[in-house]
Amino acid sequence: MLRITTEKKRGKTILSVEGRLAVPSVATLEQCWRELHSSSPNEKFRVKLCGVSFIDAAGKVLLKEIHREGGQLMAEGCLNQAIVHEIEEDESASTENTGKGRRKGSHIIFYIALFSLLFSAGQAEAQGTTKKSEMAANPPTELLRLTLDQAVGLALKQNPTAQIAILQAAQSEQDRKIALSELLPQLQMGVTEQWERLNIRAQFGGASIFPGVPKHIGPYPVFSTGPSFNGPIFDLSLLRHYQASRNTANASKADSLSSREQVILLVVSQYIGTLRNMADVQASQSRVDLAQALYDQAADRQKEGVSTGIDTLRANVELQNERQRLIQAQASRETSLFGLSRLLNLDPRQGIELGDSLSFFETPQPDVETSIEQALAARYEWKSLQEQIRAAENEKKSASASRLPSLNYSGNWAELGTFPYGVIPTYSYAGTVSVPLFTGGRIRALNRPRRPGNSEASAAADGSAKRDRPGRKDPRWLTWIPRAAKCALPIWACNFRKKKWIRRGTASMRAWPTILK
């Protein structure tokens, strides 16, 4: 029980509190204090605790807050006076510590402000060029309507996998240009002005050769300006390295196109799957409506005394089952929509509405052998594997060619003199033959296979050739099989594989008209 009395004396508001200041009543005192303080914030307040018999932890927290905001606490009795005295000491101690911390940390704050001003320009520029990845505070309210073409275009534009593949292809193309530049001549233009001083005695071992000859010459100026050039004439290692970088660039382009097709296939499959789930929701809703009508009919018939209660119970069970199937269909639809949103890299809170509908049509039966041949000839994954194999071979040839001599040329033409107005033309041309004699095991290490993926790709590409290699011995367990069974086993395996390919090809070709559309 808590009683609060408000009275005003000489411009001051006094709150007289009587009873137990415990958890149920603390909120009442706080509300009363907030209302009075908000109505007249400049007025002085006093809280009189003379009639309070008990104060719990929540009451102490509230009294500290009132004292911190300027309220004066008045108490009688040993316990209440001790509580008020403790609150006042804690407030004064915290104020002193804050003042000391401010005095001690003033120079730290100054240096922090100084460094923040120095680096604010660079940070602002970096933040301006960086794309914000944080979600908006308010979720999008408009519903995004997408057709299949729009979904595919948005995925190619925003899907991270497609963008990463494009960036990797661009990086490989720049690496190819860098490797090509090492085969081309390099031309530079320079201007040099320097002051030199030579020690003549040091040139003759520190002894004086002729009396009267000075110990040094200079300082004197040297001015030079003109072009210089250099380049390789024959370097098989650089040529092989360029060929390897070109194959790597082609492989990256094929991987980029393969990732693009994979993203398109995933988006189309997810879009069609979402349409199917939406159709399932509509069908489930129709079944729920039918079950509801049957249940209502059974209930009416029971009221009229035509049917029994077991019929009504059976109809009710069927209605609940259909409602459960409807909930499952709705969950599958929301899951498919969320997966489509992730593929399109949209805000997870963005609502999506599909603009296309399902249409059924008969697809022609594909020729399996022709489809396999066309895939081996045109599929980007296969082309990427082939280019990776060629790049690995050229890298190995480049490492082996490092043992061969290399022929380079260099030269310069310059206007040389002590001053710019007293220069004369000079030139120098040179050809260099470099033969590696000892490289510390570098060439041998380069010849070692460093990319296990390339060897695996080579094994995957040559797997059929290894299986059909002449002179290949059969496993030991095949010798136990009779000759007739041994001859029938490959035929059965080929037929099974052909049927499996036909089923896969039929299922895949059904989706291609929609993709091409």
Side-chain angles (χ1 to χ4, degrees):
M1 186 68 182
L2 185 68
R3 181 180 178 183
I4 303 174
T5 305
T6 305
E7 57 180 346
K8 294 186 178 181
K9 292 182 179 180
R10 299 178 182 179
K12 297 180 182 180
T13 302
I14 301 175
L15 293 177
S16 299
V17 184
E18 299 176 359
R20 292 172 58 88
L21 188 57
V23 173
S25 305
V26 171
T28 305
L29 178 60
E30 182 180 4
Q31 183 179 2
C32 182
W33 161 259
R34 298 295 182 189
E35 291 177 356
L36 293 175
H37 188 67
S38 60
S39 61
S40 54
N42 298 325
E43 190 174 358
K44 296 181 179 180
F45 289 89
R46 289 184 180 181
V47 180
K48 191 175 182 181
L49 304 174
C50 298
V52 176
S53 60
F54 177 75
I55 302 176
D56 64 350
K60 293 180 181 179
V61 173
L62 178 59
L63 294 178
K64 287 182 179 180
E65 182 67 19
I66 293 174
H67 186 270
R68 188 180 63 84
E69 293 183 3
Q72 185 179 358
L73 302 178
M74 303 172 57
E76 292 182 0
C78 298
L79 182 60
N80 292 344
Q81 289 180 359
I83 293 175
V84 172
H85 184 65
E86 180 183 358
I87 292 173
E88 293 176 352
E89 286 184 352
D90 292 342
E91 185 69 21
S92 60
S94 62
T95 305
E96 291 178 359
N97 292 333
T98 305
K100 292 180 180 180
R102 288 178 179 176
R103 289 193 296 271
K104 291 181 180 179
S106 60
H107 61 284
I108 300 177
I109 296 175
F110 171 74
Y111 286 120
I112 291 175
L114 179 60
F115 285 115
S116 63
L117 290 175
L118 291 176
F119 292 103
S120 59
Q123 291 177 356
E125 183 179 359
Q127 291 176 359
T129 56
T130 305
K131 183 179 179 181
K132 294 183 179 180
S133 60
E134 299 179 355
M135 292 185 180
N138 299 323
T141 56
E142 297 182 358
L143 195 63
L144 181 60
R145 183 178 177 85
L146 290 176
T147 62
L148 183 59
D149 295 337
Q150 293 174 350
V152 171
L154 191 61
L156 294 178
K157 182 180 179 181
Q158 297 187 173
N159 189 271
T161 303
Q163 297 300 318
I164 290 173
I166 294 174
L167 292 177
Q168 289 178 350
Q171 182 179 0
S172 300
E173 182 65 22
Q174 299 305 320
D175 293 339
R176 183 193 66 83
K177 292 181 180 179
I178 293 174
L180 177 61
S181 66
E182 295 178 355
L183 294 172
L184 301 178
Q186 306 294 321
L187 181 63
Q188 300 88 20
M189 181 68 183
V191 177
T192 305
E193 184 176 5
Q194 59 185 5
W195 291 79
E196 294 184 357
R197 182 181 182 184
L198 300 180
N199 190 343
I200 300 178
R201 181 172 295 182
Q203 302 296 329
F204 295 97
S208 178
I209 304 300
F210 300 102
V213 176
K215 298 179 181 180
H216 63 272
I217 300 177
Y220 58 91
V222 177
F223 178 81
S224 174
T225 179
S228 61
F229 58 91
N230 64 314
I233 298 177
F234 175 78
D235 196 334
L236 190 58
S237 177
L238 293 179
L239 179 61
R240 296 298 186 187
H241 178 66
Y242 165 69
Q243 293 175 350
S245 62
R246 183 178 58 186
N247 293 330
T248 303
N250 294 335
S252 298
K253 292 179 182 177
D255 288 336
S256 175
L257 295 175
S258 176
S259 300
R260 183 178 185 273
E261 287 190 356
Q262 185 180 5
V263 170
I264 293 175
L265 182 60
L266 289 174
V267 171
V268 170
S269 301
Q270 191 70 22
Y271 194 95
I272 295 176
T274 306
L275 289 176
R276 180 186 60 194
N277 292 329
M278 294 176 66
D280 292 340
V281 171
Q282 295 177 359
S284 299
Q285 185 63 46
S286 300
R287 289 193 295 269
V288 168
D289 295 340
L290 178 59
Q292 183 68 43
L294 293 176
Y295 172 72
D296 295 340
Q297 183 182 7
D300 294 338
R301 290 171 64 86
Q302 184 182 1
K303 290 179 182 179
E304 297 295 334
V306 180
S307 61
T308 60
I310 191 65
D311 297 332
T312 306
L313 180 60
R314 187 183 296 110
N316 189 14
V317 171
E318 186 65 24
L319 175 61
Q320 299 303 323
N321 291 335
E322 293 299 336
R323 286 178 177 175
Q324 183 64 29
R325 295 189 186 98
L326 176 61
I327 294 174
Q328 293 177 357
Q330 291 174 350
S332 300
R333 180 192 61 186
E334 296 300 327
T335 304
S336 299
L337 287 174
F338 183 77
L340 182 61
S341 174
R342 290 291 82 201
L343 286 175
L344 301 181
N345 198 19
L346 297 176
D347 192 337
R349 300 167 294 179
Q350 174 69 55
I352 299 177
E353 181 183 0
L354 304 186
D356 291 338
S357 59
L358 289 174
S359 59
F360 300 94
F361 51 89
E362 185 179 359
T363 57
Q365 184 69 22
D367 187 5
V368 179
E369 299 296 337
T370 306
S371 300
I372 293 175
E373 292 178 359
Q374 292 178 356
L376 293 177
R379 287 304 302 167
Y380 296 110
E381 297 90 345
W382 188 255
K383 291 183 178 179
S384 175
L385 289 175
Q386 292 177 345
E387 292 295 336
Q388 289 179 16
I389 293 171
R390 292 170 186 166
E393 292 176 351
N394 287 324
E395 286 287 356
K396 186 176 181 181
K397 291 179 181 178
S398 174
S400 301
S402 300
R403 296 189 176 95
L404 301 178
S406 60
L407 180 60
N408 301 318
Y409 65 90
S410 61
N412 61 10
W413 185 91
E415 294 284 346
L416 184 63
T418 56
F419 295 100
Y421 52 83
V423 296
I424 59 174
T426 60
Y427 60 87
S428 64
Y429 306 104
T432 306
V433 177
S434 177
V435 180
L437 298 178
F438 177 73
T439 59
R442 179 179 61 86
I443 299 176
R444 181 180 298 177
L446 291 174
N447 283 323
R448 296 283 183 180
R450 293 179 295 169
R451 298 179 181 176
N454 292 332
S455 59
E456 294 176 1
S458 178
D462 299 337
S464 59
K466 291 182 179 180
R467 287 192 298 267
D468 300 334
R469 185 182 301 168
R472 176 175 174 269
K473 295 182 180 180
D474 294 332
R476 183 176 299 176
W477 62 272
L478 283 179
T479 59
W480 302 341
I481 303 176
R483 186 178 300 274
K486 184 178 178 180
C487 295
L489 183 61
I491 299 175
W492 174 82
C494 291
N495 292 333
F496 177 76
R497 186 179 303 172
K498 185 174 181 181
K499 292 179 181 179
K500 189 175 181 181
W501 272 104
I502 290 174
R503 289 197 300 269
R504 287 185 178 179
T506 304
S508 301
M509 290 302 293
R510 287 176 181 173
W512 276 110
T514 307
I515 297 175
L516 295 177
K517 180 180 178 181

